Amino acid sequence: LLLVDRCLTTVTLNRRFAEISGMDFTVCQGQLDAIDADSVDAVVTHNVMGFNSDADRAAILKSAAKTLRPGGRLLSIEFLAETRPPRKPDQTALLQTGFEERLRQRGMDEDVVLALSAAAGAYWSTDLSKGAYPESRLRAHLDAAGLHLCDLSYRGDSERASPRTQPGVAKGRTHAYIVAERRI
C-alpha cells in the first residue's frame, strides 16, 4: 500500500496508524504525479476535487490513470454538483456551539475554548473550495484520462462521516461514489 497526500497532518496520522496497526505501507507527502509508482491496483481519493481547479482536477485523474495498472481501479468519493453554495452562518454557529461544548466537557480552560472556537469559526466560514464540480466535468475528465466509469452512485450523508464533521450539519449532503477502471 502506498498513501500519498500533500497534507502533512494526513501523512503523520497515517504513519502512526501504520505503526500502531502493524500494517506495512508506505506514506509519502507530495503529489501523486511526483511519486514514482506504476502498476498499482487501486487509487483511492476522498473529497479531493473540490479543493482544486478544473485543470488540476483533470491532471489528478490523469496522474491516477498513469499510476494504475491496466484494469486497475480508481475509487473515489466526491461532492459533485452544478453549484457549490457556501456554508451558511447558522451552520457555522451550530458547529462552533458543539465544538465548544466538547472542549468544555474535556475540561479545557474557558480562554482556550474561546480561542479555539474563534479559530474554528474562521476556518468553517472560509470557502476553501475551487467551485462546483459537475458530473459532466467528472465524466469528461475520466474519459480524457483513459478511465472507464464503471459505477457512479449518489448517497446522502446520514451520519458523521469523519471526526471533524458534526452530526446534523452535513446531513442531506449527497456525495458521489465513483468507481473507474483504467482501460487496457
Side-chain angles (χ1 to χ4, degrees):
L1 293 173
L2 168 66
L3 179 133
V4 179
D5 200 297
R6 59 186 180 187
C7 175
L8 182 57
T9 302
T10 304
V11 167
T12 301
L13 290 172
N14 279 283
R15 276 194 185 121
R16 288 182 187 159
F17 173 72
E19 290 169 10
I20 291 168
S21 68
M23 292 182 68
D24 181 24
F25 64 90
T26 303
V27 181
C28 301
Q29 184 179 6
Q31 305 266 102
L32 181 60
D33 59 353
I35 304 298
D36 186 23
D38 61 1
S39 297
V40 300
D41 294 322
V43 171
V44 180
T45 68
H46 184 268
N47 288 331
V48 171
M49 299 305 185
F51 300 103
N52 291 279
S53 68
D54 192 63
D56 288 341
R57 293 167 180 164
I60 289 166
L61 292 173
K62 283 182 184 178
S63 291
K66 182 184 93 177
T67 303
L68 290 167
R69 67 168 172 73
R73 297 249 171 137
L74 167 74
L75 310 171
S76 186
I77 299 172
E78 294 295 340
F79 178 63
L80 300 180
E82 297 296 321
T83 61
R84 188 169 184 121
R87 181 178 284 130
K88 295 176 183 172
D90 62 325
Q91 291 173 319
T92 298
L94 183 61
L95 286 170
Q96 278 184 276
T97 299
F99 182 63
E100 290 173 8
E101 286 174 17
R102 285 188 308 284
L103 293 177
R104 287 184 183 108
Q105 288 171 358
R106 292 181 178 157
M108 290 199 164
D109 291 333
E110 189 62 20
D111 57 333
V112 174
V113 170
L114 295 176
L116 289 174
S117 179
Y123 172 77
W124 288 322
S125 298
T126 303
D127 184 4
L128 301 174
S129 80
K130 298 291 182 186
Y133 193 32
E135 181 183 320
S136 61
R137 294 302 300 149
L138 168 73
R139 288 176 179 274
H141 290 155
L142 289 171
D143 190 52
L147 293 167
H148 168 71
L149 184 62
C150 300
D151 186 49
L152 174 63
S153 57
Y154 290 92
R155 288 190 291 239
D157 293 340
S158 60
E159 301 179 1
R160 201 172 197 190
S162 69
R164 77 170 192 216
T165 303
Q166 304 304 310
V169 174
K171 286 185 180 178
R173 187 168 187 194
T174 302
H175 282 89
Y177 290 73
I178 303 155
V179 178
E181 186 176 82
R182 180 177 167 191
R183 296 182 186 129
I184 309 282

